[in-house]
Amino acid sequence: MVPTTAVAEQCELDLEVPPLTSDPAPSTLSPMAGQEVTIAGRTLRPTPVFDTYWRFAARRQEIYEARLAGRAGPWTTDPVLLRHRFTNCYRAADRVSQYLIQDVSYRGSQDLDEVVFRTLLFKLFNKVSTWQLLSEAFSDVSWRDFDLDAFNEVLTAEFAQGRRLYSAAYVVPPPRLGADRKHTNHLRLLRHMMVTGLPDKLASATSLRQVFEALVDYPALGDFLAFQFAIDLNYSSVLNFDEMEFVVPGPGARDGIRKCFGRAANGIEPEVIRYMAEHQDEHFHRLGLAFAGLAGRRPLQLIDCQNLFCEVDKYARVMHPDIAGHSGRTRIKQLFAPVPEQVTAWFPPKWGLN
């Protein structure tokens, strides 16, 4: 499994990509480039990146399944996937999400306050080693025994040693809560969320959107992080909403959507993501691609299609350098490096996949 955390420094490579041979012969395909689709009342003309989206998903899932089965690498002939790091098709299958589900959400008290506290503490840093540091320092990482000053002392000492406290997967902006250090402000934010009744607000939510709305009101979260945290909380035992309810596209997904559909998709990105989720079987079949879903039963959800747009944005920088997104980035920074940990596949029990 490819981890979602990034190493401190990554070199950037410009790749000369050889032709790929794992797809069906061109005569058997029905390419979408030049054709039209209607989404949210708009007529969109997919670029060649649209078909690349589905090919990327199929290849990336094959890698995941091969590693899960314990097969020796290399797991693909795709030169870009061989050289660079990409997250899994399914967000819940990535290493950090797997750790959250197995070792944070479902390990320990399942009381509402405790699950919310543990989940948000983990996600504010989004780094396994930071959680392990706190777990080693405190016999019980819990809201009941939470001592902000003691937690801050442990994190400050680690920071003083020059060690990273945060994942580089995405930026978690620091709230302005009066402290000099980012990690101290995040501990203060977490305490503020708990004492202002966030767990009760989540318990009274009747939809995933309401969970998102409860989170987005807090300092420095913003739409993208609030949605990501809503999904993480929804993995747990205390919430159980449909991941197909709604989606918030992040900046990387917006780049990928622009590359697949051009400027005509501006402003309807959530509807585009829904189109991909609802029509996935059609397009995998059209391109002759095998894609059985997660554990052979769970199709791509909105959050997964959102993430895939982000990954395809990066992949297209090499495969389709002539098709631009919003950011103008032209290189993939992160190199693939296998991690020694065994790939795991344990999902929220309510999904019925274990």
Side-chain angles (χ1 to χ4, degrees), residues 216-228:
V216 79
D217 283 341
Y218 286 95
L221 288 192
D223 287 358
F224 177 69
L225 277 182
F227 179 68
Q228 296 293 316

Side-chain angles (χ1 to χ4, degrees), residues 120-176:
L120 292 177
L121 175 61
F122 180 85
K123 288 304 298 183
L124 284 168
F125 298 94
N126 203 36
K127 193 169 180 67
V128 171
S129 60
T130 300
W131 176 264
Q132 292 172 336
L133 173 71
L134 293 172
S135 297
E136 291 168 4
F138 304 98
S139 59
D140 184 21
V141 178
S142 66
W143 171 238
R144 181 191 59 203
D145 297 324
F146 178 57
D147 183 330
L148 191 151
D149 291 336
F151 275 55
N152 186 58
E153 183 178 346
V154 170
L155 294 177
T156 299
E158 187 78 355
F159 179 80
Q161 294 296 316
R163 301 187 183 99
R164 284 176 172 253
L165 299 177
Y166 292 87
S167 163
Y170 48 75
V171 176
V172 183
R176 297 181 180 180

Side-chain angles (χ1 to χ4, degrees), residues 231-244:
I231 292 293
D232 290 308
L233 287 162
N234 198 50
Y235 290 153
S236 76
S237 64
V238 299
L239 297 177
N240 188 19
F241 297 114
D242 189 349
E243 285 190 346
M244 288 296 290

Side-chain angles (χ1 to χ4, degrees), residues 26-44:
S27 61
T28 69
L29 303 180
S30 176
M32 285 291 292
Q35 299 186 39
E36 296 178 346
V37 296
T38 300
I39 302 175
R42 294 190 194 177
T43 298
L44 306 182

